[in-house]
Amino acid sequence: MLKPTSNIFVRLMAIAVLQTFVLGWIVWDRAALLRNGQEVQLAVVPVDPRDLLRGEYIILRFDISRIDTLNVKTDRDFQSGDPVYVGLEKSQGGQWYAISANHQLPQGASNIVFIKGKIDYTTKGKNSAKVLNIKYGMEKFFIPEGDGPGLEDLRNEKVLRIVAAVSATGEAGIKALLVRGQPVYEETVF
């Protein structure tokens, strides 16, 4: 029979093992995405805010953050809060652009990369078509303090891009921030 103090010790150890497993899973999942995800380059429009607890970061807005439904294929109407899988194709210049927007991940299109997002809000576009304003969960990128103003200048020159890793399920994460095609900030796997 276990003594009450050893029973508490066993429970505490089980909790510690469970917490370690959960944290390890979070790190492994992110590392697997950055290591194995399909790379896509997206144009960005940064802003230079600060977070008192976490430092300086830029807010990224992508060309694919605002999609006019007249310019892409859609499966049906979208509302705020809907999940969306945006189909991307690579241009001759190496940048990826939106060709479709679907509520569920389409199957069987091997040359198309699907990135998962969420409809933030919709607005009316030309000819009463909807414009989808989408968040992808990678709109903040933390940078060294003092680098924000320089990135604002680069934003105005339109030479800023990101390399995102996109998994087969559409989850995405930023691998690198590029200026004129050259990496200036890179996310490490660990």
Side-chain angles (χ1 to χ4, degrees):
M1 183 169 167
L2 291 174
K3 295 179 182 178
T5 55
S6 64
N7 192 14
I8 291 172
F9 178 74
V10 169
R11 288 181 183 177
L12 288 175
M13 287 304 295
I15 290 170
V17 167
L18 180 64
Q19 287 177 334
T20 301
F21 176 76
V22 169
L23 290 173
W25 175 260
I26 291 169
V27 170
W28 180 86
D29 189 47
R30 177 71 177 178
L33 171 65
L34 294 179
R35 184 176 39 248
N36 302 323
Q38 168 72 44
E39 289 187 4
V40 297
Q41 282 192 26
L42 303 170
V44 298
V45 181
V47 181
D48 182 29
R50 293 186 61 77
D51 183 321
L52 293 176
L53 299 176
R54 294 169 43 185
E56 193 167 335
Y57 63 93
I58 56 174
I59 293 176
L60 304 173
R61 183 170 171 264
F62 311 103
D63 285 349
I64 62 169
S65 295
R66 185 174 163 85
I67 297 175
D68 190 327
T69 57
L70 280 179
N71 300 328
V72 300
K73 296 178 188 174
T74 60
D75 58 354
R76 62 181 195 270
D77 195 30
F78 284 93
Q79 304 299 323
S80 295
D82 284 351
V84 61
Y85 290 86
V86 176
L88 303 175
E89 272 191 344
K90 191 174 185 177
S91 71
Q92 295 287 13
Q95 186 170 320
W96 294 70
Y97 62 95
I99 61 165
S100 67
N102 301 287
H103 285 81
Q104 295 181 348
L105 181 63
Q107 302 299 318
S110 62
N111 62 332
I112 300 172
V113 174
F114 291 95
I115 185 169
K116 183 180 180 183
K118 185 176 182 180
I119 303 295
D120 192 27
Y121 62 93
T122 63
T123 56
K124 290 281 186 190
K126 298 176 186 173
N127 300 328
S128 298
K130 276 192 176 178
V131 175
L132 309 176
N133 292 278
I134 304 168
K135 299 276 185 177
Y136 294 98
M138 53 181 189
E139 282 77 20
K140 287 185 182 179
F141 189 79
F142 286 86
I143 55 175
E145 190 170 337
D147 287 359
L151 289 174
E152 283 183 4
D153 293 340
L154 295 170
R155 173 203 59 205
N156 295 338
E157 294 176 35
K158 298 185 179 182
V159 295
L160 214 53
R161 302 221 185 300
I162 66 156
V163 174
V166 183
S167 73
T169 60
E171 300 299 324
I174 297 174
K175 282 184 87 167
L177 186 64
L178 308 176
V179 174
R180 295 182 183 87
Q182 299 300 313
V184 291
Y185 300 106
E186 295 183 80
E187 285 287 330
T188 58
V189 175
F190 287 104

